[in-house]
Amino acid sequence: MSDIAIRVDHVSKKFRLYKERNQSLKSAIMRGRTSVHEDFWALKDVSLDVVRGQTVGLVGDNGSGKSTLLKCMAKILYPDKGSITMKGRLAALLEVGSGFHPELSGRDNVYLNGSILGMSRREIEMKFDEIVDFSGVREFIDQPVKNYSSGMYVRLGFSVAIHVDPDILLVDEVLAVGDESFQAKCAEKFVELRKAGRTIVIVSHALGTLASMCDSLVWLQHGDVMATGDPATVIAAYRGHDGP
Amino acid sequence: MSIRVNVRRYRELFVNLTQRELKGKYKRTILGQLWSLANPLALMVVYSFVFTFIIRMTPEPGDPSGLDVFPLWLLCGLLPWIFFSNVVNQGMGTLLANESLIKKVYFPRSVLVLSSSAAIAVNWLVEMSVLVVALALFGAWTVFLWLPMLVVFMALLAVFATGIALALSIANVYFRDTQYFVTIALQLGMYMAPIIYPVSLVKVQSDRIGPLFANVTLLDIYRLNPMERFIAVFRRLLYDNDWPAFDDVIACVLWAAVAITLGMLVFSRNQKKLAEIL
Ligand SMILES: Nc1ncnc2c1ncn2[C@@H]1O[C@H](COP(=O)(O)OP(=O)(O)O)[C@@H](O)[C@H]1O
Ligand SMILES: [Mg+2]
């Protein structure tokens, strides 16, 4: 189907939980093996379709596999079973400011980070002012980023990432970034992206925000999909289950 | 997304990462990029002092260039060696050093190793240019005729070294010992290649001992070292200003092909798992 932007098809992801991991040659030889591990399934047979232009939220307790699912979508991790098909240009906001080089100026880092996220030089040049204005660190843009406060650092990183202008945007718990006015700006930006028909998958614990911005929600629990669909219904089910 | 878009996209990332490497390294130093010349120069001074003043080492004069300057002779082998050693040493650590990036963003991970090599290659290019000018000033004018060949072999050495760096960068993720082991191996390797002494001294010993087994001599074993071949070619081109030996040329091409094939194979087999095993 052409209007499916993301198809997650029976995806399972296993991690190895190491009881013993011999990363030095000595211990590997002495014990005659490189590791002792147990398989841990962080995602179990997850299937899900995201229609183009929709905003889908992932909810679930800590450790339920939300980040793992996003990372599989972003091709950072690879599923052990099943497959994921993405249609369109992808940007993932898993952690902002990764790849910043502390000694380089904010300006250089915008270019570097932009290209890590897949923007071309020309694109960054065009959007440069917009990125800097959005971040609100214009006075410091030619300072090395190691002199930035952690808030400034995160804002600049977020600002670069959100200007990638992808078809599909994956966002993992980074909405809680920066002060209130910056958060308001971010919320506005998301509205703008939605209007522009972007597909967004977002992880958050702010159920209220999710309810207002998502078309549907997916509730994950221990790697299983417990419920999907209308935000109010899923939140009710999640809350009901969660309660003591 | 078409392949062409992908290539363009990651070429820009490659260029930017290389620039990060070059720009970030000498930030806040007064001499800046000049520091990259300091290490080879310091080694040259020390070795020249030791091997011309304390231990008399007299390599054959350049033929047909007629050069007879030990420090220049030394640099013709030393600069390629330092380049090789830096590419392997630094390339090996790039995956560990960029762990946070690998865990957060998708991009072909080999770009990290390639840009580390490229940054070192830029410095090497500067060093070699200075050396070529110095060789000409000391009388080897014909060196300019060999520049095209020189560029080809510099590219081959870069390919060879990068192939090894690709494979070792993966090995280093599994076993952190790799970097310490390789650092030592490289230090020893420098004395196992004819960098500070001419290969003719090895030949003398080899002839004195005679064949070790069957027809194999010490020299044959010594020449299994790929860097011996590369250095022979560089000295021929730079110091002698003449055609390199045909078997050396073939050996260099083969070694480069083997190293890059192996490196890419090991890398592509493991790159998907990197975010997990790091
Ligand atoms: N690299 C890893 N190695 C081993 N276990 C992991 C790894 N990443 C995540 N896990 C485990 O997988 C489970 C799901 O994690 P995650 O997707 O981060 O949960 P969350 O829903 O809180 O984002 C957790 O139990 C976590 O411990
Ligand atoms: Mg998480």
Side-chain angles (χ1 to χ4, degrees):
Chain A
M1 279 241 297
S2 64
D3 61 343
I4 300 283
I6 307 170
R7 166 156 285 169
V8 178
D9 191 20
H10 297 286
V11 163
S12 297
K13 176 71 199 167
K14 126 187 120 177
F15 286 116
R16 291 178 159 186
L17 296 186
Y18 290 95
K19 288 202 178 119
E20 173 189 321
R21 190 166 181 193
N22 299 315
Q23 280 189 317
S24 84
L25 212 51
K26 176 179 150 238
S27 51
I29 289 170
M30 296 255 297
R31 308 221 173 95
R33 65 196 166 206
T34 56
S35 63
V36 176
H37 62 263
E38 244 174 32
D39 286 346
F40 168 79
W41 292 91
L43 293 176
K44 300 168 199 151
D45 200 32
V46 172
S47 291
L48 130 111
D49 284 344
V50 179
V51 176
R52 183 183 310 147
Q54 285 217 320
T55 300
V56 171
L58 296 181
V59 297
D61 300 341
N62 286 327
S64 57
K66 305 178 299 287
S67 301
T68 305
L69 183 55
L70 280 195
K71 284 181 181 172
C72 286
M73 289 178 178
K75 288 201 276 182
I76 293 164
L77 296 175
Y78 290 82
D80 293 284
K81 288 184 198 157
S83 66
I84 297 182
T85 344
M86 311 284 282
K87 280 203 185 128
R89 182 173 175 183
L90 177 97
L93 274 172
L94 300 183
E95 187 172 296
V96 288
S98 40
F100 272 9
H101 192 297
E103 292 286 347
L104 295 182
S105 69
R107 180 185 302 275
D108 288 341
N109 269 307
V110 167
Y111 278 93
L112 179 64
N113 213 238
S115 76
I116 288 172
L117 293 173
M119 278 195 267
S120 71
R121 193 170 183 85
R122 208 178 313 136
E123 243 180 305
I124 305 172
E125 262 158 22
M126 269 162 45
K127 290 182 189 159
F128 187 80
D129 285 322
E130 215 180 311
I131 293 175
V132 176
D133 287 340
F134 190 87
S135 71
V137 298
R138 166 137 340 244
E139 305 103 279
F140 304 95
I141 199 66
D142 287 309
Q143 298 282 319
V145 298
K146 65 170 183 189
N147 295 343
Y148 284 21
S149 75
S150 63
M152 287 158 65
Y153 192 90
V154 165
R155 262 152 51 192
L156 187 62
F158 189 82
S159 184
V160 177
I162 210 159
H163 284 88
V164 171
D165 196 22
D167 303 314
I168 301 171
L169 183 65
L170 309 175
V171 189
D172 191 356
E173 291 191 66
V174 287
L175 279 183
V177 156
D179 49 30
E180 234 163 58
S181 73
F182 187 71
Q183 280 191 33
K185 262 203 246 179
C186 291
E188 246 172 67
K189 188 76 193 171
F190 275 109
V191 172
E192 211 177 286
L193 286 169
R194 278 189 72 184
K195 278 200 192 126
R198 307 297 183 228
T199 311
I200 301 172
V201 179
I202 185 165
V203 171
S204 177
H205 289 290
L207 296 180
T209 318
L210 285 184
S212 66
M213 69 181 287
C214 293
D215 297 303
S216 68
L217 290 188
V218 176
W219 167 26
L220 281 176
Q221 174 93 357
H222 301 305
D224 289 309
V225 176
M226 303 296 280
T228 64
D230 171 60
T233 322
V234 174
I235 287 177
Y238 175 46
R239 283 224 171 101
H241 177 91
D242 217 19
Chain B
M1 201 183 317
S2 75
I3 289 182
R4 253 186 54 219
V5 173
N6 255 332
V7 167
R8 198 204 58 209
R9 198 173 139 170
Y10 295 119
R11 198 182 55 210
E12 285 191 36
L13 175 57
F14 166 74
V15 171
N16 280 339
L17 283 172
T18 307
Q19 277 174 354
R20 167 178 91 168
E21 203 78 16
L22 285 168
K23 268 193 176 173
K25 195 165 181 189
Y26 299 107
K27 268 275 156 104
R28 307 190 52 189
T29 60
I30 293 168
L31 294 181
Q33 210 65 47
L34 278 178
W35 273 115
S36 71
L37 291 174
N39 182 35
L41 280 181
L43 285 178
M44 182 199 80
V45 169
V46 172
Y47 289 139
S48 298
F49 172 75
V50 173
F51 290 107
T52 57
F53 194 67
I54 297 179
I55 307 168
R56 299 270 153 138
M57 184 92 74
T58 45
E60 299 270 302
D63 175 24
S65 72
L67 272 182
D68 195 5
V69 185
F70 182 83
L72 291 181
W73 178 88
L74 176 72
L75 282 178
C76 292
L78 190 61
L79 293 185
W81 172 265
I82 294 177
F83 166 74
F84 168 77
S85 149
N86 283 344
V87 166
V88 171
N89 236 335
Q90 289 175 33
M92 189 171 53
T94 47
L95 295 182
L96 287 187
N98 289 286
E99 177 178 341
S100 67
L101 204 53
I102 291 174
K103 286 187 167 169
K104 297 297 171 333
V105 196
Y106 168 78
F107 57 94
R109 277 65 169 100
S110 54
V111 177
L112 290 170
V113 181
L114 297 184
S115 60
S116 144
S117 289
I120 299 165
V122 169
N123 285 332
W124 188 37
L125 207 62
V126 175
E127 293 162 19
M128 292 293 269
S129 308
V130 174
L131 175 62
V132 165
V133 171
L135 287 164
L137 287 179
F138 276 86
W141 285 105
T142 44
V143 72
F144 291 115
L145 296 177
W146 299 95
L147 287 188
M149 283 276 275
L150 180 65
V151 171
V152 170
F153 278 91
M154 284 173 73
L156 274 178
L157 181 56
V159 168
F160 173 69
T162 304
I164 293 179
L166 280 171
L168 288 177
S169 68
I170 295 286
N172 198 35
V173 171
Y174 285 100
F175 289 108
R176 310 284 153 101
D177 301 62
T178 312
Q179 52 195 330
Y180 304 107
F181 174 77
V182 172
T183 304
I184 293 175
L186 284 171
Q187 275 165 8
L188 296 181
M190 176 156 165
Y191 297 93
M192 301 300 289
I195 295 165
I196 50 176
Y197 56 85
V199 72
S200 57
L201 292 185
V202 183
K203 186 167 185 325
V204 169
Q205 293 305 318
S206 174
D207 289 346
R208 192 176 57 83
I209 298 169
L212 297 176
F213 47 87
N215 265 335
V216 180
T217 64
L218 183 66
L219 187 64
D220 294 331
I221 293 173
Y222 182 83
R223 302 207 73 197
L224 287 177
N225 178 359
M227 282 310 285
E228 196 274 340
R229 303 291 187 151
F230 275 104
I231 285 163
V233 170
F234 281 114
R235 283 237 167 84
R236 263 326 257 165
L237 294 172
L238 288 167
Y239 197 72
D240 295 339
N241 302 161
D242 202 355
W243 290 100
F246 185 66
D247 60 327
D248 288 344
V249 172
I250 296 294
C252 289
V253 173
L254 283 181
W255 277 117
V258 167
I260 197 69
T261 311
L262 198 80
M264 291 199 318
L265 206 71
V266 170
F267 204 90
S268 62
R269 285 234 171 138
N270 290 283
Q271 80 158 340
K272 283 188 172 187
K273 286 182 275 173
L274 280 178
E276 245 165 281
I277 52 184
L278 266 168

